[in-house]
Amino acid sequence: MEDISGPFRASEAIAAGRITRGRVAGPAARRLFPDVHALTDRVATPDDLVGRAAEAALYVRGSPAVIGGYAAAEILGASCGPRPAAVDLVVGRRRVRPRPGLRIRQDLLAPDEIVEVGSLLVTSAVRTAWDLVRELDAVERVVALDALARIGPFDPQDLLALVESRPRSRGAGRVREAVARSDPRAGSPPETRMRLALGAHGVPAAVPQLEVCDAEGWFVAHVDLGWKEAKVAAEYQGDHHRVDREQWMYDQARFADLAGAGWLVLPCTAQDLRFPRAFVKRILAALSARTG
């Protein structure tokens, strides 16, 4: 059993002598799907989207299933969705019974729409974006497109070619709007949400990941969103900025450097994204005060 480090097909592991039938039936292993098990202390948690995807991939017999949707984005390094999201499995025209936490898609994928990451097959960054943009709401589809275009890397405009070639695809009408609002320079999903929230409330467009230099031209920092003329920046502050002491100390030194260069940094929290009115008011007031 020492070499069983992840999920396994019980029938194959027993036949290979890697585990006994009694151990599979006992408390040492947990059944995840028909014939798919994992050692009890190695079962993926609900927040482990990549782990759950690896488990789900073994569920489909025959040619390997391809992981899509949010799980594909996570595996590709473009984390942009909720960790407890369902795992999408693309199985072609095969009939596969859905399971809790598992969505079966009978799409046909072109060879260039599949990439191999480790031992897993996943939809490519462009194909993953095409699928998510057509499914998600107005904000989250842009979040997904920004994240996937950044790591692809690819130009969001590339999706327009798919709109032309697949005009009858469900949700294809949403793609043009998402492409128009996308900006892959965003460094994280919260930064995209912050940019969209400000734009929706009439705040002038800012530059994502703006490079700030001092009066002598020396690099100071990149800011999440920056208004260069006003020297105003908006920075998203997730929980790790608060609970990680080293991150907090780094942030304070960075904000001090930006202040020394004449910049005003306004923090944005998850609460500000849920209820953005006060944050918008602060940004507009700062821009007005600094630009007259």
Side-chain angles (χ1 to χ4, degrees), residues 91-141:
V91 299
R93 296 305 185 212
R94 287 176 287 181
R95 293 182 178 273
V96 179
R97 182 179 177 183
R99 296 282 175 174
L102 181 61
R103 299 198 312 172
I104 302 299
R105 290 171 30 203
Q106 293 182 305
D107 300 339
L108 296 177
L109 300 173
D112 64 356
E113 293 180 319
I114 303 172
V115 297
E116 187 171 355
V117 180
S119 61
L120 300 174
L121 297 181
V122 303
T123 49
S124 67
V126 172
R127 175 64 199 223
T128 305
W130 169 253
D131 291 335
L132 289 174
V133 166
R134 291 182 298 124
E135 176 184 350
L136 299 174
D137 65 37
V139 170
E140 293 308 308
R141 70 178 69 130

Side-chain angles (χ1 to χ4, degrees), residues 141-203:
R141 70 178 69 130
V142 181
V143 170
L145 181 53
D146 279 2
L148 286 156
R150 183 174 64 253
I151 62 93
F154 66 87
D155 187 333
Q157 296 282 332
D158 294 348
L159 292 191
L160 299 182
L162 293 176
V163 175
E164 296 298 326
S165 63
R166 307 172 185 181
R168 296 185 179 181
S169 296
R170 179 178 297 178
R174 302 174 178 176
V175 176
R176 293 186 186 278
E177 177 265 345
V179 169
R181 301 170 69 201
S182 177
D183 192 329
R185 291 177 294 179
S188 68
E191 291 176 32
T192 296
R193 297 184 185 107
M194 179 170 62
R195 175 176 64 82
L196 295 178
L198 292 172
H201 287 80
V203 176

Side-chain angles (χ1 to χ4, degrees), residues 217-249:
W218 292 99
F219 173 78
V220 176
H222 284 100
V223 294
D224 293 349
L225 290 177
W227 292 264
K228 189 172 183 178
E229 181 182 352
K231 291 189 175 181
V232 171
E235 288 271 305
Y236 182 75
Q237 299 288 286
D239 283 344
H240 71 285
H241 290 267
R242 175 177 54 84
V243 300
D244 186 322
R245 178 172 174 78
E246 288 190 6
Q247 180 66 53
W248 182 85
M249 294 176 66

